[in-house]
Amino acid sequence: MTPPPLPKATRDAVLLALAPRDAVDIALYGRFLAEIPDSPNVDGAVQTGHAFTVHESEQIEDFYAAADDAKLDRKRNALNFLDAADDAGAGMTGYQSLISGTFYRHAVLDRVQLRTNLRVAGMTEEEAEQTASEAEREFVNAFVEAFPEAKKNSTASTGSLPVLVLAFEGERPYNYASAFQRPVDEVAEGAAGPVAVSRLLRHHIFVSGRRDDLHAAKLLTYDPEIDSLLAELELPAVLETVTRAEELTS
């Protein structure tokens, strides 16, 4: 059964609300409206990969029990059998799976596609350039500041900052996940952070020597040990160290 078409006023309102010109996140992440088959789709300018640990990690099962304090209080102060048999209230047991480690995250921002989406939405070239530049800064800052929010009140995950951010530009995306096909062996190689950083930079420098389209890269760290490591390494001139997230796109 085919649903009836949306009234024109509703259709126009939906398309206006989700227009890349006024909703830059649509220009970044794309748009597909199944409810409006003839609506123009927007190809996303952002690609993101699933994060994975660079070393072997172990999942921990955290078992817990929960009881309703009011329910227990009623049973303790019951005056007769019926009161004691009152089972109203919550009570449960369960478990949650926890994992922690040094993760590799990867994201791509297609600068050409972003500007194309904005121009198609009706912006002038100057407007599209200014809006795209602002969107790039916001995207990079959000990527740097991102943290897992699941169970944040019971794990305090919101204080994490990246060990290293490597930002660079090229004619096509380059994912360095293959640098960690062999997991970091923390027993034989040392702490995962410094080893992973060394591998990542070595991989990027190696690829840069074979790809002329790769532009100068920038590095940002919030880890003092990694900062010392970067100072000790003989990094090529194409790798610039910065101290602020906003400098990654400047």
Side-chain angles (χ1 to χ4, degrees):
M1 180 177 178
T2 304
L6 292 174
K8 184 178 185 306
T10 303
R11 178 184 183 280
D12 293 345
V14 170
L15 292 178
L16 179 62
L18 299 178
R21 179 184 179 93
D22 301 309
V24 181
D25 52 337
I26 300 297
L28 284 167
Y29 292 96
R31 182 187 71 190
F32 171 72
L33 300 175
E35 295 81 1
I36 308 178
D38 60 336
S39 66
N41 295 328
V42 178
D43 292 329
V46 171
Q47 305 170 21
T48 55
H50 290 288
F52 61 85
T53 56
V54 299
H55 53 85
E56 184 178 355
S57 57
E58 183 178 351
Q59 183 171 288
I60 299 174
E61 305 297 347
D62 179 30
F63 291 90
Y64 64 87
D68 189 324
D69 291 340
K71 174 180 175 180
L72 298 176
D73 187 62
R74 286 197 306 272
K75 288 185 176 296
R76 282 194 298 267
N77 297 285
L79 298 178
N80 56 47
F81 174 78
L82 292 178
D83 288 340
D86 178 15
D87 202 35
M92 69 187 77
T93 61
Y95 70 92
Q96 56 187 356
S97 298
L98 303 176
I99 187 173
S100 180
T102 301
F103 287 82
Y104 172 75
R105 292 190 292 132
H106 171 74
V108 177
L109 174 57
D110 188 332
R111 304 183 70 204
V112 175
Q113 184 66 52
L114 175 58
R115 284 157 177 77
T116 299
N117 290 346
L118 295 173
R119 289 296 305 278
V120 171
M123 285 189 178
T124 65
E125 184 174 352
E126 183 178 353
E127 289 175 330
E129 181 61 36
Q130 180 179 351
T131 302
S133 296
E134 294 173 356
E136 288 169 2
R137 287 193 294 270
E138 290 296 328
F139 171 78
V140 171
N141 185 68
F143 181 82
V144 171
E145 297 290 337
F147 51 79
E149 291 199 14
K151 298 289 184 180
K152 66 179 182 180
N153 288 348
S154 56
T155 61
S157 63
T158 55
S160 59
L161 287 167
V163 172
L164 181 78
V165 180
L166 168 63
F168 60 91
E169 186 177 359
E171 296 299 324
R172 50 150 290 180
Y174 292 93
N175 189 330
Y176 293 153
S178 59
F180 308 107
Q181 285 185 332
R182 176 175 57 84
V184 173
D185 186 340
E186 294 188 278
V187 175
E189 299 180 87
V195 176
V197 166
S198 298
R199 279 199 200 179
L200 181 66
L201 296 181
R202 184 169 66 248
H203 202 95
H204 177 73
I205 294 170
F206 182 85
V207 173
S208 298
R210 288 158 174 75
R211 302 292 303 194
D212 295 332
D213 64 300
L214 284 177
H215 297 238
K218 297 187 178 183
L219 303 173
L220 170 67
T221 180
Y222 292 97
D223 188 316
E225 183 178 4
I226 301 303
D227 189 59
S228 299
L229 175 63
L230 295 178
E232 294 172 1
L233 295 175
E234 295 182 2
L235 298 176
V238 293
L239 284 174
E240 177 188 355
T241 303
V242 298
T243 58
R244 297 286 187 275
E246 53 268 24
E247 296 178 76
L248 293 170
T249 56
S250 61

